[in-house]
Amino acid sequence: MFPIHAPQRADLEATVRFSAFLTTRSSGPDEDRRITQALVDHAVDVERLGFDAVFLPDHHFTGYCPPASDPMMFASFLAARLPRLHYGFSVQTIALHHPVRFAERLNLLDQLTDGKLLVGTGSGTTPEEMIGLGINFKDTPELSKSHLALVRQLWDKKAEDAPFVFDNGHYKGAVVSRIVPAAHTQGGPQLMSVALRPSSVERAAAEAQPAFIPAFTPPALDDGEPLKHLRTHFTAYRTALEAAGHPQEKVARALDWTTHTYQHVHVAETDEQAEEEFQLLMAQYQAAIEREHEANLEAEKLSGVALNPPPNALTPGWQKTWCVWGSPATVAEHLHEVSEIGIGNVLGGFLGGPLTPERAEYGKKSLELFATEVMPTFRTN
């Protein structure tokens, strides 16, 4: 095992978990090597500074985080170097995975991480990623449900059971024996889902899953009142979870890893400095997502769909909903409000957008300030 380096005393207990979102963007093949190494270095810093987990996205073709083309492989590489951390996926686009391979690979990764695995699942967001892997974007909601149901059945199958025969219109086969290896975690790797609509809230609660709690309510995605929405969705989830009749330890674990995500976290010495740096980073981020949108428009034509344009990350409403920035005191004050709602895990991106010189410099400084001046305010004797 590797040594653990964490900047907190042994007699201090964390009142909330902190996780880092491993993502940054590549604008071309000449950047892929540098960015992949930068994300490895970022994970090493995250572990050294005492974070609890890293979360990895699942994305393809656009340059949104080169290692996201196979987040399970990337997680296994990191886990060998940084075994203290939990490893989360935010999220696995399950329609893109063969259900048998998905069940096998997650079980293996659950073993390699000693059960420190958190598997968020979703149906995907862009036609380009779907069509490149032979799936039409319009089919993804149903395929996602079907694939996830198959994975659950595969995890439950015992060697002595009758062969498990499946055909969901996209994949078909028969598993005669069982999924090998078995998961480290009883019942299979820990799944997570977004608790937004009543159906998703009830599903997460019924299965005692930790949930991703959003700070918006469709159709509005950025009205700039994140805490109102966060409180509403968390209250609905917690109420359903506690009414579901689970043992207390399962309820506690679900709440412990219930997660709110910030696409961008930026901390500087003063509010004024943070504001100036953050707005520069947002302008670079906006340029990157608009560049990626051009490719998605072509994929939309091929897929027969027409989606909304990318969000405007320069508006106050979007920034208040999806980001947190300021001096250590300002960021800590906001996150204490989030913690008081009941959120167990705060997930933040420190390198979002293209990895420009400013992004790399500001991201490293922000991470250090967050770990040394924000996180300690959440430790209790």
Side-chain angles (χ1 to χ4, degrees):
M1 300 289 283
F2 289 85
I4 296 172
H5 305 288
Q8 65 259 22
R9 301 198 322 265
D11 61 336
L12 295 186
E13 180 180 353
T15 58
V16 65
R17 293 182 181 273
F18 290 100
S19 303
F21 194 35
L22 296 189
T23 181
T24 193
R25 282 170 154 82
S26 169
S27 62
D30 57 324
E31 293 188 1
D32 290 350
R33 170 70 179 177
R34 177 176 67 91
I35 286 172
T36 299
Q37 186 58 54
L39 287 171
V40 173
D41 294 342
H42 187 51
V44 171
D45 285 341
V46 163
E47 192 272 351
R48 171 180 60 84
L49 290 166
F51 283 73
D52 296 282
V54 291
F55 278 69
L56 297 82
D58 181 10
H59 283 289
H60 307 267
F61 311 122
T62 64
Y64 181 155
C65 186
S69 62
D70 194 335
M72 291 192 219
M73 181 180 291
F74 192 38
S76 66
F77 171 80
L78 293 176
R81 298 187 63 181
L82 308 169
R84 178 182 65 79
L85 292 173
H86 282 70
Y87 290 85
F89 297 112
S90 180
V91 296
Q92 288 278 359
T93 307
I94 193 167
L96 303 181
H97 297 270
H98 191 295
V100 175
R101 292 293 289 136
F102 193 71
E104 289 180 328
R105 297 179 78 204
L106 285 178
N107 275 13
L108 178 57
L109 193 52
D110 197 53
Q111 288 283 357
L112 295 175
T113 61
D114 299 327
K116 296 193 291 289
L117 196 62
L118 299 154
V119 186
T121 60
S123 57
T125 56
T126 62
E128 182 181 9
E129 297 183 323
M130 302 300 165
I131 202 169
L133 290 163
I135 295 172
N136 191 288
F137 185 79
K138 292 183 287 188
D139 298 331
T140 56
E142 287 305 314
L143 273 179
S144 297
K145 293 178 185 177
S146 176
H147 285 193
L148 188 56
L150 288 175
V151 168
R152 294 177 183 281
Q153 291 171 286
L154 288 162
W155 279 338
D156 288 340
K157 187 187 181 309
K158 299 177 176 60
E160 62 269 23
D161 293 341
F164 177 69
V165 180
F166 61 93
D167 182 353
N168 70 346
H170 194 80
Y171 291 114
K172 61 181 178 179
V175 174
V176 176
S177 296
R178 64 179 179 89
I179 296 298
V180 178
H184 180 281
T185 304
Q186 185 177 4
Q190 178 65 70
L191 295 175
M192 297 180 67
S193 60
V194 176
L196 179 58
R197 294 177 175 84
S199 59
S200 61
V201 170
E202 290 300 326
R203 182 172 62 251
E207 298 177 8
Q209 292 181 2
F212 294 101
I213 309 294
F216 63 90
T217 301
L221 303 181
D222 54 4
D223 67 3
E225 296 187 83
L227 294 181
K228 179 183 73 173
H229 299 286
L230 191 66
R231 186 175 289 106
T232 296
H233 296 311
F234 177 80
T235 299
Y237 163 73
R238 181 167 191 163
T239 299
L241 177 66
E242 293 178 338
H246 299 296
Q248 185 54 42
E249 61 270 19
K250 293 189 74 171
V251 173
R253 174 174 169 78
L255 293 173
D256 197 33
W257 281 105
T258 292
T259 298
H260 178 53
T261 303
Y262 293 93
Q263 293 292 325
H264 303 274
V265 176
H266 187 65
V267 188
E269 294 289 350
T270 66
D271 286 336
E272 293 75 18
Q273 180 185 353
E275 177 71 20
E276 180 180 352
E277 294 174 353
F278 174 72
Q279 295 304 336
L280 171 62
L281 296 173
M282 287 299 94
Q284 295 175 350
Y285 171 76
Q286 185 66 27
I289 62 175
E290 289 176 358
R291 173 185 60 79
E292 293 166 10
H293 184 60
E294 293 302 314
N296 271 313
L297 286 174
E298 185 63 28
E300 287 178 26
K301 294 177 186 177
L302 293 170
S303 303
V305 297
L307 304 182
N308 293 327
N312 186 349
L314 304 181
T315 63
W318 191 92
Q319 292 177 1
K320 288 179 181 179
T321 300
W322 298 93
C323 312
V324 60
W325 70 101
S327 66
T330 295
V331 171
E333 180 181 7
H334 175 79
L335 294 182
H336 275 286
E337 291 185 272
V338 170
S339 175
E340 287 166 4
I341 290 172
I343 297 298
N345 176 48
V346 171
L347 170 60
F350 292 85
L351 291 180
L355 194 61
T356 60
E358 296 90 355
R359 173 73 279 180
E361 177 189 354
Y362 296 162
K364 190 172 185 64
K365 290 179 179 178
S366 177
L367 185 74
E368 294 274 351
L369 278 172
F370 188 89
T372 58
E373 298 193 31
V374 176
M375 284 167 47
T377 70
F378 291 84
R379 309 290 178 182
T380 59
N381 289 319

